[in-house]
Amino acid sequence: MKAIVTGAAGFIGFATTRELLRQGFEVVGVDNLNHYYSVELKKARLENIGDTSAFRFVKADISDKEQLELAIGSEKNVDVIVHLAAQAGVRYSIENPSAYVSANVEGEVRVFEQALKYSSCPPVVYASSSSVYGGNRKVPFSEDDRVDDPVSVYAATKRAGELLARSYHHVHKLKTTGLRFFTVYGPWGRPDMAPWLFTDAILEERPIKLFNYGKMQRDFTYIDDIVDGVVTVTKKIMKEPEKVADIYNLGNNKPVPLMEFVEAIEQATGKKALTELCPMPPADVKKTYADISRAERDLEYHPTMSINEGIVKFVNWFKRYQGK
């Protein structure tokens, strides 16, 4: 079984690649190693995959047609593409919207076009986001809810990716499944996300910013639970594509108030947080909450990691990685 994984040096891409390899896949990883956050962290993830003949990494920008063709155009017998490459980060999309259109819209089109060029026309599992639910007030968020009220450029590009997937299925019969991830955290996570930012600040006794004056909730989902869903969809879309839906929520189904999240980090670090209450940024939402009933039904998806256990695992890894 051969999988192409885009974004293989990213947080979810790295963890997914490692699990696919563990389950006997041959994996070709693609990533442009951009400077949105530490390239050294991305390289460290790739090194942590291990020395295996079943993995080949190639540096390429998925939004560049020639680079992508050169990187993976000659691959044979591709069974599936797991498209996890993206320009991440909600707030950064206010500063640099063109980066999101390039990676998340143009890049996805390039990946779909590349899939069509293979004689096997492999199915594509791609990353979407809980951000597509935007200003929706009904919770938990269901895949059947309307998603036409994005509150950030990031969310709009992720929704555009979903619509493009439907178009490619309608016109070209390309089988695709999108995964709406809900606030993924854990070891090897991103430095721009709250677990990293808060843990680093608390250990260094710097204040942390609590947006909306601390009155926020997130459906924090541990990386291993997310990867379980990604790999299950990947294997099922290869064998039984007709039994896989076009969109799934992958979340924990347990929203955590921001102050409880901070308390979990305080307990894991043994230090008290210094806090600064701030208003809500314009691209944020107050609450995310995943309805995972569809994933439970089709994928037997059952996340198990509690926020307290998950944060302990993250903090222990963070201390080792940072030498603290």
Side-chain angles (χ1 to χ4, degrees), residues 20-290:
L20 288 171
L21 289 167
R22 193 187 71 80
Q23 295 198 23
F25 278 77
E26 178 185 350
V27 178
V28 179
V30 181
D31 202 295
N32 67 350
L33 301 178
N34 70 18
H35 291 266
Y36 170 62
Y37 64 84
S38 169
V39 175
E40 293 308 310
L41 173 60
K42 297 175 184 179
K43 290 180 178 178
R45 289 180 184 139
L46 292 173
E47 291 173 2
N48 199 257
I49 288 173
D51 184 12
T52 170
S53 59
F55 177 65
R56 181 174 77 89
F57 175 74
V58 58
K59 183 180 177 181
D61 184 344
I62 60 162
S63 64
D64 187 306
K65 181 180 179 180
E66 292 183 1
Q67 280 192 39
L68 191 63
E69 176 68 28
L70 187 63
I72 60 174
S74 61
E75 291 294 333
K76 306 295 183 185
N77 304 315
V78 177
D79 294 297
V80 65
I81 297 176
V82 185
H83 174 44
L84 302 175
Q87 176 57 59
V90 171
R91 292 168 193 152
Y92 183 59
S93 68
I94 298 174
E95 304 172 30
N96 190 4
S98 61
Y100 291 77
V101 175
S102 176
N104 302 354
V105 180
E106 293 179 15
E108 187 157 299
V109 168
R110 301 297 183 207
V111 170
F112 288 162
E113 287 291 321
Q114 187 59 52
L116 296 176
K117 292 178 181 179
Y118 294 128
S119 58
S120 57
C121 193
V124 181
V125 176
Y126 67 94
S128 187
S129 168
S130 63
S131 295
V132 301
Y133 291 107
N136 288 15
R137 295 185 179 182
K138 172 193 151 295
V139 292
F141 298 151
S142 166
E143 296 93 341
D144 295 324
D145 294 342
R146 292 186 63 173
V147 283
D148 55 3
D149 186 22
V151 298
S152 67
V153 170
Y154 170 72
T157 60
K158 281 300 188 180
R159 180 55 180 156
E162 294 180 351
L163 296 174
L164 284 165
R166 288 194 175 193
S167 298
Y168 271 81
H169 177 66
H170 177 74
V171 175
H172 301 288
K173 308 306 178 190
L174 178 65
K175 179 60 182 175
T176 63
T177 291
L179 304 175
R180 291 173 177 168
F181 298 136
F182 281 71
T183 316
V184 189
Y185 75 102
W188 297 100
R190 291 195 346 244
D192 63 324
M193 295 188 71
W196 184 302
L197 294 171
F198 286 10
T199 298
D200 191 43
I202 290 171
L203 289 172
E204 296 293 333
E205 299 181 352
R206 290 183 280 105
I208 59 175
K209 293 183 177 181
L210 302 180
F211 293 110
N212 200 38
Y213 309 101
K215 298 176 182 179
M216 299 177 76
Q217 295 184 48
R218 287 292 181 269
D219 200 340
F220 290 102
T221 314
Y222 192 70
I223 182 63
D224 290 1
D225 289 326
I226 287 291
V227 169
D228 179 61
V230 176
V231 173
T232 299
V233 170
T234 299
K235 294 167 71 175
K236 194 161 187 173
I237 203 172
M238 290 165 52
K239 297 177 180 178
E240 301 176 294
E242 73 283 354
K243 294 184 179 180
V244 180
D246 62 339
I247 291 288
Y248 289 104
N249 286 336
L250 292 186
N252 200 44
N253 193 230
K254 293 183 179 70
V256 177
L258 183 57
M259 297 311 299
E260 287 186 19
F261 172 68
V262 173
E263 289 171 6
I265 300 178
E266 289 177 328
Q267 291 175 9
T269 59
K271 304 189 77 168
K272 189 71 176 174
L274 304 174
T275 60
E276 179 183 342
L277 300 180
C278 303
M280 174 80 84
D284 266 10
V285 296
K286 292 181 180 179
K287 183 176 183 177
T288 63
Y289 182 1

